[in-house]
């Protein structure tokens, strides 16, 4: 006991910041009558505690350490970005796009998790969600499928280096849109639409071949008129398309009556893989068209006017229109026509035998795309002729009313 009193007294003399524990203090208080130092030092329990103003809690220490590390990391990261941008500009562009793509994909994953948690807690089905939530889940599923393939091929040892090389050489096939450059987004969407466009003549040719097999004479006449309008570049009216709705409920245009070649052509038009067995092709077509139909219902409830320009273009591209080179107002008009056709169909499910609504959307997609493409082609030809005429006028002079050129 005497030794402990001497130690605490010495600590008080030298200004130590050590605070006595409760056990030692209690012992000193019990031994107060015998406490007393020869050189007149004050007792320990009379000394002011200097450590109360200097000591920090463990939580504050951890927070200050974390903030310091984060600050230093940001500074080092900024220097590293400036170094890459100065010495390796092309690599820096790829590096920036890759990092931003990872951030966007991570944000999409968190949002998809919140939506799935909400669906699980409140027992909400997919078609009961809002349009933006449904579209986010649909796109995220496609992105995860693409990333899953990269994860599988990178499993073998040292295969990750090969994966990075393949990602650099084949970005369209292996990467999602978050990792594309702005130029690549336009070019790749054009490539996909060109692949999709190749199946349109085959689909319309099959519609012409099955006209004699339609039992109703009125439906045969309507289908003949529709095919003639499309071949001449005339945009069909909505009532002309809806008049053929009954043709797709049974033979020969019903979903369950389609042959393998026809389903492959429709799969290519929907940007689905055609290299599957017939029953899987039919199931994927039903699932895909059902999802689009549910999206159309939700979009009609939301209203096209509430969509951003990027959402309008994405919705048009999903439904078959190459909206990358078309004005926003024209895209909204086309999307409105599509919704009028789609929302007039009955609600269908993937497991029902009568899939007339689903099957009707498939050729409707090709009909609208074909008609829109023919209109664009005709307008482009007219614009080129007008431009050539203006150039001739500027080079040679005026043009006579009969088309002959006269010198000024």
């Amino acid at each position: 006991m005497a030794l402990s009193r001497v130690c605490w007294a010495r600590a008080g003399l030298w200004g130590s910041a050590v605070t006595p524990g409760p056990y030692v203090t209690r012992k000193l208080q019990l031994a107060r009558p015998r406490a007393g130092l020869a050189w007149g030092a004050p007792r320990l329990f009379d000394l002011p505690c200097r450590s109360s103003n200097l000591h920090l809690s463990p939580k504050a220490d951890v927070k200050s350490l974390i903030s310091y590390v984060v600050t230093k990391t940001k500074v080092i990261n900024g220097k590293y970005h400036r170094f890459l941008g100065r010495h390796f500009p092309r690599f820096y562009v790829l590096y920036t796009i890759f990092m931003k793509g990872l951030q966007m994909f991570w944000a999409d994953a968190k949002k998809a998790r919140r939506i799935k948690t909400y669906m699980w807690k409140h027992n909400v089905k997919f078609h009961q969600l809002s349009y933006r939530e449904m579209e986010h889940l649909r796109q995220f599923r496609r992105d995860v499928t693409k990333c899953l393939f990269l994860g599988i091929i990178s499993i073998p040892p040292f295969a990750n280096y090969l994966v990075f090389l393949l990602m650099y050489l084949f970005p369209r096939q292996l990467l999602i849109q978050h990792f594309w450059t702005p130029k690549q987004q336009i070019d790749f969407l054009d490539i996909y639409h060109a692949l999709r466009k190749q199946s349109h003549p085959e689909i319309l040719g099959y519609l012409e071949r099955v006209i004699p097999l339609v039992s109703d004479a009125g439906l045969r006449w309507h289908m003949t008129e529709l095919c003639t309008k499309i071949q001449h570049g005339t945009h069909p009216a909505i009532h002309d398309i809806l008049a053929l709705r009954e043709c797709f409920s049974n033979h020969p245009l019903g979903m369950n009556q389609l042959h393998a070649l026809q389903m492959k052509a429709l799969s290519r038009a929907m940007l689905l893989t055609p290299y599957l067995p017939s029953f899987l092709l039919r199931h994927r077509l039903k699932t895909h068209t059902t999802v689009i139909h549910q999206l159309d219902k939700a979009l009609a409830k939301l209203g096209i006017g509430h969509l951003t320009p990027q959402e309008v273009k994405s919705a048009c591209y999903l439904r078959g229109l190459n909206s990358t080179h078309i004005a926003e107002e024209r895209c909204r008009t086309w999307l409105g026509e599509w919704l009028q056709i789609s929302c007039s169909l009955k609600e269908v499910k993937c497991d029902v035998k009568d899939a007339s609504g689903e099957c009707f959307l498939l050729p409707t997609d090709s009909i609208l795309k074909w008609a829109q493409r023919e209109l664009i082609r005709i307008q482009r030809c007219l614009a080129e002729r007008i431009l050539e005429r203006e150039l001739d006028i500027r080079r040679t002079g005026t043009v006579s009313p009969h088309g002959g050129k006269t010198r000024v």
Side-chain angles (χ1 to χ4, degrees):
M1 295 298 294
L3 181 59
S4 62
R5 290 197 300 271
V6 172
C7 291
W8 286 113
R10 182 176 298 176
L13 285 175
W14 290 99
S16 174
V18 178
T19 305
Y23 176 77
V24 178
T25 306
R26 186 176 297 276
K27 287 292 185 179
L28 291 175
Q29 289 175 353
L30 291 175
R32 181 179 297 181
R34 295 186 298 171
L37 296 179
W39 51 85
R43 290 188 299 270
L44 179 64
F45 44 82
D46 294 330
L47 292 175
C49 183
R50 302 184 184 181
S51 61
S52 60
N53 297 327
L54 299 177
H55 183 68
L56 297 176
S57 64
K59 286 188 176 180
D61 292 340
V62 173
K63 289 182 179 180
S64 61
L65 179 62
I66 292 175
S67 63
Y68 175 78
V69 172
V70 170
T71 304
K72 285 296 182 182
T73 303
K74 289 182 179 180
V75 172
I76 296 173
N77 193 30
K79 292 181 179 180
Y80 178 66
H81 281 198
R82 288 192 294 270
F83 173 78
L84 289 179
R86 190 181 305 113
H87 296 86
F88 306 98
R90 296 182 62 183
F91 175 78
Y92 177 69
V93 172
L94 297 178
Y95 172 78
T96 304
I97 293 174
F98 182 76
M99 296 304 297
K100 289 182 178 179
L102 285 178
Q103 294 174 1
M104 289 188 291
F105 183 72
W106 180 249
D108 289 347
K110 292 193 293 185
K111 184 177 179 180
R113 183 183 178 184
R114 288 196 299 267
I115 297 173
K116 296 295 289 185
T117 303
Y118 172 79
M119 293 173 63
W120 178 74
K121 287 184 177 180
H122 298 83
N123 194 20
V124 177
K125 303 299 182 181
F126 177 78
H127 64 276
Q128 296 174 340
L129 297 173
S130 64
Y131 170 76
R132 288 189 173 91
E133 292 174 341
M134 294 170 62
E135 175 62 23
H136 184 83
L137 285 183
R138 184 203 65 82
Q139 185 62 42
F140 183 72
R141 289 170 184 170
R142 294 179 64 91
D143 294 344
V144 168
T145 304
K146 219 170 189 179
C147 295
L148 185 62
F149 174 74
L150 282 178
I152 292 174
I153 64 177
S154 61
I155 289 177
F158 304 103
N160 51 348
Y161 301 104
L162 178 62
V163 169
F164 281 112
L165 179 61
L166 293 176
M167 289 165 55
Y168 180 77
L169 296 177
F170 306 100
R172 179 174 63 86
Q173 293 83 357
L174 298 179
L175 297 180
I176 60 177
Q177 294 189 18
H178 294 330
F179 300 98
W180 294 349
T181 63
K183 185 178 182 303
Q184 285 177 339
Q185 290 183 5
I186 298 176
D187 295 341
F188 292 167
L189 291 179
D190 289 341
I191 292 173
Y192 279 127
H193 186 72
L195 296 175
R196 184 168 55 185
K197 190 170 58 177
Q198 293 175 1
S199 61
H200 294 170
E202 185 177 353
I203 296 172
L204 295 177
Y206 176 73
L207 289 178
E208 291 179 343
R209 289 194 298 270
V210 300
I211 289 177
L213 302 179
V214 179
S215 58
D216 191 285
L219 294 178
R220 284 200 304 269
W221 181 83
H222 277 294
M223 187 170 290
T224 304
E225 288 293 319
L226 182 65
C227 293
T228 304
K229 286 182 179 180
I230 295 173
Q231 290 175 352
H232 289 83
T234 304
H235 191 73
I238 296 177
H239 60 83
D240 294 334
I241 298 176
L242 291 177
L244 302 174
R245 180 170 45 186
E246 298 179 1
C247 295
F248 299 89
S249 58
N250 48 28
H251 183 78
L253 295 175
M255 177 68 78
N256 295 325
Q257 284 77 34
L258 296 178
H259 301 294
L261 293 178
Q262 300 157 8
M263 289 189 293
K264 288 183 179 181
L266 291 172
S267 298
R268 288 193 297 269
M270 293 288 178
L271 291 180
L272 302 175
T273 176
Y275 308 107
L276 292 174
S278 298
F279 67 95
L280 288 180
L281 288 176
R282 184 175 285 107
H283 174 73
R284 291 200 69 187
L285 286 173
K286 287 183 178 181
T287 305
H288 185 71
T289 50
T290 300
V291 171
I292 291 180
H293 194 199
Q294 293 170 351
L295 284 170
D296 293 340
K297 293 284 187 180
L299 180 56
K301 184 177 180 181
L302 175 65
I304 302 177
H306 291 83
L307 297 182
T308 62
Q310 183 60 35
E311 289 175 339
V312 171
K313 288 183 176 292
S314 299
C316 290
Y317 193 88
L318 172 64
R319 289 154 180 81
L321 180 68
N322 188 12
S323 55
T324 55
H325 306 288
I326 300 178
E328 177 190 348
E329 292 301 325
R330 195 168 187 175
C331 291
R332 292 183 184 273
T333 303
W334 188 92
L335 188 59
E337 294 179 356
W338 172 274
L339 290 182
Q340 291 183 35
I341 297 173
S342 177
C343 294
S344 64
L345 305 177
K346 66 179 181 179
E347 185 68 28
V348 291
K349 297 182 180 179
C350 295
D351 55 350
V352 296
K353 293 184 178 180
D354 182 16
S356 59
E358 295 175 352
C359 194
F360 181 68
L361 282 180
L362 297 176
T364 300
D365 171 81
S366 300
I367 289 170
L368 288 179
K369 287 183 289 188
W370 180 280
Q372 184 74 16
R373 190 180 63 184
E374 290 297 320
L375 284 176
I376 294 174
R377 183 181 61 82
I378 294 174
Q379 291 177 359
R380 188 177 298 169
C381 292
L382 291 176
E384 290 177 354
R385 291 181 182 178
I386 293 174
L387 181 61
E388 290 177 357
R389 187 174 181 181
E390 292 293 332
L391 292 176
D392 290 340
I393 292 174
R394 292 180 181 180
R395 285 198 306 264
T396 60
T398 59
V399 180
S400 64
H402 302 286
K405 298 177 182 178
T406 57
R407 293 284 181 178
V408 177

